Amino acid sequence: MTAVPADWIAVDWGTTHLRAYAMGAAGKLAEASSTEGMGSLGRDQFEPALLRLIEPWLGPGTTRVIACGMVGSRQGWVEAPYRSTPCLPVDPAALLRIETRDPRLAVHIVPGLSQSQPADVMRGEETQIAGALAWMRNFDGVLCLPGTHSKWVQVSAGEVVSFQTCMTGELFALLSTQSVLRHGIGEGWDEAAFQTALSDTLSRPERLASRLFSLRAEGLLAGLPPATARARLSGLLIGMELAATKPYWLGQPVALIGAEALSQTYGSALQTQGITARILPATECTLAGLAAAQEVK
Amino acid sequence: MTAVPADWIAVDWGTTHLRAYAMGAAGKLAEASSTEGMGSLGRDQFEPALLRLIEPWLGPGTTRVIACGMVGSRQGWVEAPYRSTPCLPVDPAALLRIETRDPRLAVHIVPGLSQSQPADVMRGEETQIAGALAWMRNFDGVLCLPGTHSKWVQVSAGEVVSFQTCMTGELFALLSTQSVLRHGIGEGWDEAAFQTALSDTLSRPERLASRLFSLRAEGLLAGLPPATARARLSGLLIGMELAATKPYWLGQPVALIGAEALSQTYGSALQTQGITARILPATECTLAGLAAAQEVK
């Protein structure tokens, strides 16, 4: 943690983590993070948790802090009502100003987006989308943000037109660590097993229901290697997601925003369907989106 | 718990529960249960746990105890190797005798069944299947045993021809109590919501991936009632299971063996597909299956 006065401070505040970045004219000056995520904080604890990270970056005057993510949810610091799609992913005029006790802070929250039909919501991804569009101006196509709750986002003329969430990452975590399948799933990867399983549920999605327990049975009967089981579970679930989101990606330019390994996995899955997806770095998208949010006062 | 000398003792010993029944010429004389399931016992603790329940039923000589379920798994009392399908669900000549310290006990375990292609296993359900077939002699069709790991079983000429497991119950439990969906799921039922969701994934199984998170989003945006969310989640998952098992039930006589409320739910789901399933009581099937297992010495 470097003690530098920042021009402004970018904050990505999710359920389990708080990440802060001191920003200057040339970009990122310093960064800091903690596990004081929204999920572990009461309403009064947000300001102290933030100050613990960013105090060294505050100058003599007021510093703007732009935050995105679950910090703006009902259980967060202050609820920032969703903005309805279709709309710009981030609107600098629609930030929510939060009152703080420390007069050096001017904290603003980026609101999430909602869609009424089919019902869907996002918080945090709208900022990454804005960041991606700051780089790829005039991008008309689909953004995929894989993760705990993967988002597929149709973007046109700088706006979010529609989006769809799949709980693929959460399902993978629950099945591989909490279900009976945990006994047979281990570290490592088997690309061939991933591809076969992917193609299986992509073409016959209903097979997911019966293929899951096969992982356990093959472990018991045929000694299925734990790395193969892991890759196959991932393939089954991502295959299901691609089957569900086919109206999004089919024949469209696709860009992926996410953790690098996961984006590679999704990229390899899309490649089997003839889609070459561009991969964008997640943190840089978040920072570019927060920068776009604070451009206009 | 009644102190009666039993002719023999029937035991259903699963992962979380131990259930014992004192049996006489006319059927059940007494029953007892505890939470000393296989999952909580070390190898040396099985005999004491059993004696704690059944000692009052032991006479002066040796009493036969016939047990089915996870007690025969690798982590159980003694591993009873699977029998391979196609085969009779229970073969009295293939019980595994367990050595006990108490000479009054003659404990036998009913082995589970395995299928090599596609890989699948069952332990406990084979006994219920044998019980069902003791009632419905010459039944040729499909048995469905809904539960944590639902089994669909093709039966012909008294044998298990093939079977398929779906982790529907475990998925429902994980999603409704461990995932983000838990915030919006509560007690109660909404039959119309169940039917709509069922038909949705039965006709378009890939929708499951996107419909799950909708439960959360509709809770946040439109105040989806917790009972409706619960019924819809159940409908989505059972619809997926019915889509996966269609080659089993389509145009077949179907009988359901399971907990009453769950069997009713599956019966109502199958009814929408033109299948009127007979519902058989689970405990009685288990007891009839264990009785069939001990008929021949």
Side-chain angles (χ1 to χ4, degrees):
Chain A
M1 212 187 294
T2 323
V4 283
D7 287 0
W8 64 285
I9 294 168
V11 172
D12 177 7
W13 208 332
T15 305
T16 57
H17 286 85
L18 164 58
R19 296 185 176 85
Y21 307 86
M23 305 298 289
K28 194 169 69 177
L29 303 172
E31 59 184 284
S33 67
S34 77
T35 54
E36 295 196 286
M38 174 278 290
S40 64
L41 298 174
R43 199 137 283 186
D44 291 344
Q45 301 171 299
F46 282 87
E47 187 174 337
L50 181 65
L51 278 169
R52 273 191 281 281
L53 281 193
I54 70 167
E55 192 142 29
W57 307 336
L58 298 179
T62 303
T63 304
R64 293 191 95 207
V65 176
I66 315 288
C68 68
M70 294 303 285
V71 64
S73 69
R74 202 167 294 172
Q75 293 78 32
W77 191 345
V78 172
E79 184 176 6
Y82 297 108
R83 296 167 55 236
S84 304
T85 56
C87 62
L88 292 169
V90 167
D91 178 356
L95 302 184
L96 180 75
R97 173 72 191 265
I98 295 184
E99 295 306 316
T100 53
R101 268 163 293 178
D102 191 317
R104 294 172 297 171
L105 299 177
V107 177
H108 300 260
I109 291 186
V110 180
L113 304 184
S114 68
Q115 173 178 277
S116 57
Q117 202 55 255
D120 217 326
V121 293
M122 67 168 75
R123 270 197 201 279
E125 292 90 350
E126 73 295 325
T127 301
Q128 297 185 305
I129 295 165
L133 295 181
W135 279 334
M136 308 188 296
R137 298 199 185 274
N138 307 317
F139 176 80
D140 208 300
V142 168
L143 297 172
C144 168
L145 299 90
T148 305
H149 299 154
S150 297
K151 309 284 178 187
W152 290 79
V153 186
Q154 187 198 351
V155 167
S156 185
E159 294 201 332
V160 171
V161 178
S162 70
F163 65 101
Q164 184 168 314
T165 303
C166 295
M167 293 174 55
T168 308
E170 186 163 15
L171 274 172
F172 183 83
L174 287 173
L175 287 168
S176 62
T177 67
Q178 307 282 319
S179 86
V180 70
L181 304 185
R182 72 185 184 277
H183 301 299
I185 288 180
E187 289 306 307
W189 193 250
D190 177 336
E191 183 67 18
F194 171 75
Q195 296 284 351
T196 305
L198 176 84
S199 138
D200 223 36
T201 47
L202 190 43
S203 59
R204 302 268 311 270
E206 75 280 6
R207 289 199 177 170
L208 179 68
S210 54
R211 294 298 306 278
L212 290 176
F213 190 75
S214 286
L215 294 173
R216 172 67 175 150
E218 272 194 54
L220 287 168
L221 299 178
L224 184 72
T228 301
R230 178 187 186 76
R232 198 189 288 173
L233 177 61
S234 174
L236 290 173
L237 294 174
I238 294 177
M240 186 77 175
E241 177 176 341
L242 290 193
T245 56
K246 200 164 186 174
Y248 272 78
W249 52 260
L250 191 68
Q252 292 291 315
V254 176
L256 285 156
I257 307 170
E260 194 176 339
L262 190 60
S263 289
Q264 296 288 356
T265 300
Y266 273 71
S268 136
L270 285 165
Q271 196 65 65
T272 68
Q273 304 304 304
I275 304 280
T276 303
R278 180 172 171 181
I279 294 186
L280 302 173
T283 303
E284 285 71 8
C285 283
T286 304
L287 290 181
L290 290 168
Q294 68 91 47
E295 267 166 17
V296 184
K297 288 269 157 68
Chain B
M1 210 188 296
T2 323
V4 284
D7 288 358
W8 65 285
I9 294 168
V11 172
D12 177 7
W13 207 331
T15 305
T16 57
H17 286 85
L18 164 57
R19 295 185 177 87
Y21 306 86
M23 304 299 289
K28 195 170 68 178
L29 303 172
E31 59 185 284
S33 67
S34 78
T35 53
E36 294 195 287
M38 175 278 289
S40 64
L41 298 174
R43 199 137 283 186
D44 292 343
Q45 301 172 299
F46 282 87
E47 187 174 336
L50 181 64
L51 278 170
R52 272 192 282 280
L53 280 194
I54 69 167
E55 192 141 30
W57 306 336
L58 298 179
T62 303
T63 304
R64 294 189 94 208
V65 176
I66 315 288
C68 68
M70 294 303 283
V71 64
S73 69
R74 204 167 294 172
Q75 293 78 31
W77 192 346
V78 172
E79 184 176 5
Y82 296 107
R83 295 167 55 235
S84 304
T85 56
C87 62
L88 292 169
V90 168
D91 178 356
L95 302 185
L96 181 75
R97 173 70 191 264
I98 295 183
E99 295 306 316
T100 52
R101 269 163 292 177
D102 191 316
R104 294 173 298 171
L105 299 177
V107 177
H108 300 261
I109 290 186
V110 180
L113 304 185
S114 69
Q115 173 178 278
S116 57
Q117 202 53 255
D120 217 326
V121 293
M122 66 168 75
R123 272 197 200 277
E125 293 90 351
E126 73 294 325
T127 302
Q128 296 186 304
I129 295 165
L133 294 182
W135 279 333
M136 309 188 296
R137 297 199 185 276
N138 306 317
F139 176 81
D140 208 301
V142 168
L143 297 172
C144 169
L145 299 90
T148 304
H149 298 155
S150 297
K151 308 285 178 186
W152 289 79
V153 187
Q154 186 198 350
V155 168
S156 184
E159 293 201 333
V160 171
V161 178
S162 71
F163 65 101
Q164 185 169 313
T165 304
C166 294
M167 292 174 55
T168 308
E170 187 163 14
L171 275 172
F172 183 84
L174 287 172
L175 287 168
S176 62
T177 66
Q178 307 282 319
S179 86
V180 69
L181 304 185
R182 71 185 185 279
H183 301 298
I185 288 180
E187 291 305 308
W189 194 251
D190 177 337
E191 182 67 19
F194 171 75
Q195 296 284 352
T196 304
L198 176 85
S199 138
D200 223 35
T201 47
L202 189 44
S203 58
R204 303 268 312 269
E206 76 279 6
R207 289 199 178 170
L208 179 69
S210 55
R211 294 297 307 278
L212 289 177
F213 190 75
S214 286
L215 294 173
R216 173 66 175 150
E218 274 198 57
L220 287 167
L221 299 178
L224 185 72
T228 301
R230 178 187 187 76
R232 199 190 287 173
L233 176 61
S234 174
L236 291 173
L237 294 174
I238 294 177
M240 187 76 176
E241 178 177 341
L242 291 192
T245 56
K246 201 165 185 173
Y248 273 78
W249 52 260
L250 192 68
Q252 293 290 317
V254 176
L256 285 157
I257 306 171
E260 194 176 339
L262 190 60
S263 289
Q264 297 288 355
T265 301
Y266 273 71
S268 136
L270 285 165
Q271 195 66 65
T272 67
Q273 303 305 304
I275 305 280
T276 302
R278 180 171 171 181
I279 295 185
L280 302 173
T283 303
E284 284 72 8
C285 282
T286 303
L287 290 181
L290 290 168
Q294 68 91 48
E295 266 165 17
V296 183
K297 288 269 157 68

